[in-house]
Amino acid sequence: MSWQELYQQKRMTAEQAASHIKSGDRVVVAHATGEPGALIDAMVKNAKAYRNVEIVHMVAMGKGEYCLPEYAENFRHNSLFLGASTRDAIAKGRGDFTPVYFSQIPDLLREELHPNVALLHLSPPDEHGYCSYGVSVDYTKPAAEIADLRIAQINPNMPRTLGDSFIHVSELDCIVEADEPIIELGQAKIGETERAIGEHCASLIQDGDCLQLGIGAIPDAVLLFLKEKKDLGIHSEMFSDGVVELVEAGVITNRRKTLHKGQCVVTFLMGSRRLYDYVNNNPSVAMYPVDYVNNPAVIAKNDNLVSINSCIQVDLMGQVVSDSIGPRQFSGVGGQVDFVRGANLSRGGKSIMAMPSSLVKKDGTRVSKIAVQIDAGAAVTTSRYDVNYIVTEFGVAKLKGKTLRDRAKALIEIAHPDFREELMEEFHRRFGG
Ligand code: COA
């Protein structure tokens, strides 16, 4: 049978596809901007037909309706990284968080979770019958290979990304055609603080370096200060529109990369339609599953790998909290530790943790993000054994290779001035002098 005939045979409505999900199933949803909206809507609409369907998802960027209290008996969310639409459900006990490094999610699915269903979001098939995973290859492709049943939303708006990013129509079980916009990420607001942080980070980046950048205002601000650099490369779990601008400006060429020369390597994408059009059929962007892209040993094959991530709190020893606020789970580790370790192993590599020095809380009080101790109940994300550079708007503290005494001193120098005195008092208590 031709792939075209197979395609027609498997075609159905979203409602019909949702009826293939059974009570007690574990359902893995395509990640982040790759979330298949029409399939999730149909599943939520069919909620009363299910009991205890477990929804496994990393960053959820859609409506997250399966987390609403009225569906508590129908769905339970197992989150691998909390987002705006899922945080409340976990805080209130209608869902759970599983700690896992992004690079190890395929192993988690294969060895522990054994999902029954994968909900996919794919480009239409090419002339050979291959659909692309588009903006989300990461754990989504491995999930499709592991799950018993593959339900795919085929969307003409999904870019055809290249690399290890394809599934053949013959591998799919249910095909639902649904045309909807791919989720876009709004522009982050870059203020004076972020600009100063961006400038300090950029001072650590040399011509020819290979970059990993996270999401948000700080990575976007770093990119603003890279316009004069030459021959930068990208090996990152994700990138956004700012990278496209630097490619077009001739700053990112990937020419000096020691792995995948000439290509930006990435596992998922988050940005505007401009980014999705740029990556469509573009051989200079190679997408691979996350157990390859985020594997620290693979990251380390890139010489001069500079990773830039953000965090919530750093204590005077250099312990970094990035995914909890006190005992409250806020996000997840994502690829932070994968890239910190990969950068540590890379010849000439550097890992940077960049954050504003302080935070003004909703009640108007200012707190220092450089703290004497991490908040009670918070979890260390990047340990003091892995940490290297910490950057705030007040400068750069290099911690790697430094004693606890010298680390504390370096951190106090980049703390917000309002808190330096009390941090120094603790310094004297701890280290004398
Ligand atoms: N004490 C109390 N609350 C704090 C805090 C502190 N020291 N630092 C930050 N917060 C709160 C903020 O008030 C904000 O709360 P709100 O959502 O209620 O407004 C929240 O934490 C997020 O802080 P924000 O400054 O808006 O940070 P962000 O959106 O840039 O995210 C991280 C920062 C650290 C949470 C985010 O980068 C993350 O989850 N990192 C871990 C994963 C990772 O690094 N992945 C790899 C790159 S993709």
Side-chain angles (χ1 to χ4, degrees):
M1 198 183 284
S2 70
W3 71 258
Q4 288 89 347
E5 287 166 318
L6 280 173
Y7 186 94
Q8 291 308 328
Q9 215 174 60
K10 295 173 184 189
R11 248 181 80 187
M12 60 185 74
T13 64
E15 291 68 32
Q16 287 166 332
S19 71
H20 284 72
I21 299 170
K22 304 287 174 230
S23 289
D25 273 356
R26 179 171 278 139
V27 178
V28 181
V29 180
H31 181 221
T33 52
E35 197 168 318
L39 298 184
I40 295 179
D41 285 350
M43 180 179 74
V44 171
K45 218 165 142 200
N46 201 34
K48 298 296 167 224
Y50 318 125
R51 274 192 162 269
N52 289 326
V53 167
E54 183 181 298
I55 310 292
V56 181
H57 207 159
M58 198 169 137
V59 180
M61 293 187 68
K63 294 173 273 182
E65 286 175 324
Y66 47 80
C67 286
L68 294 174
E70 59 260 44
Y71 301 124
E73 297 200 336
N74 314 104
F75 301 114
R76 190 159 179 87
H77 181 36
N78 182 355
S79 175
L80 312 180
F81 191 112
L82 279 55
S85 61
T86 57
R87 200 168 283 132
D88 185 57
I90 280 105
K92 303 227 166 87
R94 294 192 307 279
D96 291 292
F97 169 69
T98 301
V100 59
Y101 295 122
F102 197 4
S103 62
Q104 292 179 12
I105 293 180
D107 281 348
L108 174 82
L109 298 175
R110 203 173 291 117
E111 289 163 20
E112 310 289 341
L113 298 187
H114 313 290
N116 306 95
V117 181
L119 298 186
L120 311 173
H121 197 174
L122 307 172
S123 76
D126 63 15
E127 68 270 34
H128 305 290
Y130 286 92
C131 303
S132 168
Y133 284 92
V135 294
S136 160
V137 176
D138 44 59
Y139 66 79
T140 307
K141 182 172 192 281
E145 290 161 0
I146 296 161
D148 306 322
L149 189 83
R150 283 152 287 275
I151 303 177
Q153 175 173 339
I154 305 288
N155 185 345
N157 301 313
M158 182 59 84
R160 182 173 179 274
T161 58
L162 308 180
D164 183 9
S165 175
F166 294 99
I167 182 166
H168 195 259
V169 162
S170 58
E171 305 291 329
L172 301 174
D173 297 290
C174 307
I175 292 176
V176 175
E177 290 181 342
D179 180 341
E180 64 183 17
I182 304 300
I183 295 171
E184 295 183 38
L185 186 71
Q187 284 281 314
K189 211 169 136 253
I190 302 175
E192 279 313 303
T193 303
E194 289 78 14
R195 284 181 71 85
I197 294 169
E199 196 167 2
H200 289 307
C201 291
S203 72
L204 296 170
I205 298 170
Q206 312 296 321
D207 292 346
D209 282 355
C210 180
L211 308 182
Q212 174 256 330
L213 297 153
I215 308 159
I218 290 174
D220 288 357
V222 176
L223 293 171
L224 293 178
F225 292 93
L226 297 180
K227 292 184 177 145
E228 305 303 318
K229 307 277 180 196
K230 292 189 179 61
D231 287 328
L232 298 178
I234 298 287
H235 183 108
S236 187
E237 66 183 40
M238 58 81 64
F239 68 76
S240 196
D241 293 45
V243 163
V244 181
E245 278 165 36
L246 288 187
V247 171
E248 288 175 353
V251 173
I252 294 175
T253 62
N254 294 303
R255 205 176 280 149
R256 286 164 66 178
K257 278 180 84 177
T258 48
L259 184 71
H260 298 286
K261 207 181 274 295
Q263 291 182 312
C264 290
V265 169
V266 70
T267 197
F268 73 99
L269 296 159
M270 259 188 193
S272 72
R273 187 67 231 176
R274 181 182 174 215
L275 171 71
Y276 306 150
D277 289 338
Y278 171 77
V279 298
N280 186 46
N281 261 326
N282 186 340
S284 75
V285 178
M287 298 200 53
Y288 293 92
V290 71
D291 46 357
Y292 177 75
V293 175
N294 279 35
N295 178 337
V298 173
I299 295 167
K301 287 186 184 168
N302 294 284
D303 288 355
N304 306 309
L305 190 292
V306 181
S307 87
I308 304 172
N309 290 295
S310 194
C311 58
I312 285 174
Q313 196 173 43
V314 181
D315 74 6
L316 287 180
M317 296 189 279
Q319 301 193 95
V320 178
V321 174
S322 306
D323 63 312
S324 56
I325 300 174
R328 182 162 71 92
Q329 189 61 43
F330 183 79
S331 54
V333 62
Q336 180 171 119
V337 173
D338 296 333
F339 273 91
V340 166
R341 291 187 173 155
N344 283 344
L345 294 168
S346 152
R347 194 165 21 190
K350 298 182 183 112
S351 83
I352 302 170
M353 217 49 82
M355 61 169 192
S357 64
S358 69
L359 162 87
V360 179
K361 288 193 163 172
K362 289 192 179 88
D363 64 5
T365 54
R366 188 182 284 279
V367 291
S368 177
K369 285 165 76 86
I370 295 178
V372 165
Q373 285 174 354
I374 64 173
D375 286 352
V380 171
T381 312
T382 292
S383 92
R384 60 186 185 162
Y385 294 99
D386 287 326
V387 73
N388 191 352
Y389 291 90
I390 305 286
V391 171
T392 71
E393 70 274 30
F394 295 106
V396 176
K398 184 178 194 303
L399 303 189
K400 191 175 167 186
K402 284 201 166 71
T403 62
L404 290 181
R405 175 196 300 272
D406 290 344
R407 284 176 179 219
K409 203 181 283 169
L411 284 165
I412 293 167
E413 280 168 13
I414 61 161
H416 190 283
D418 289 1
F419 300 97
R420 286 184 198 162
E421 202 177 309
E422 70 183 67
L423 291 168
M424 268 321 277
E425 281 167 20
E426 172 64 17
F427 179 88
H428 292 309
R429 259 195 303 277
R430 241 180 241 189
F431 302 106

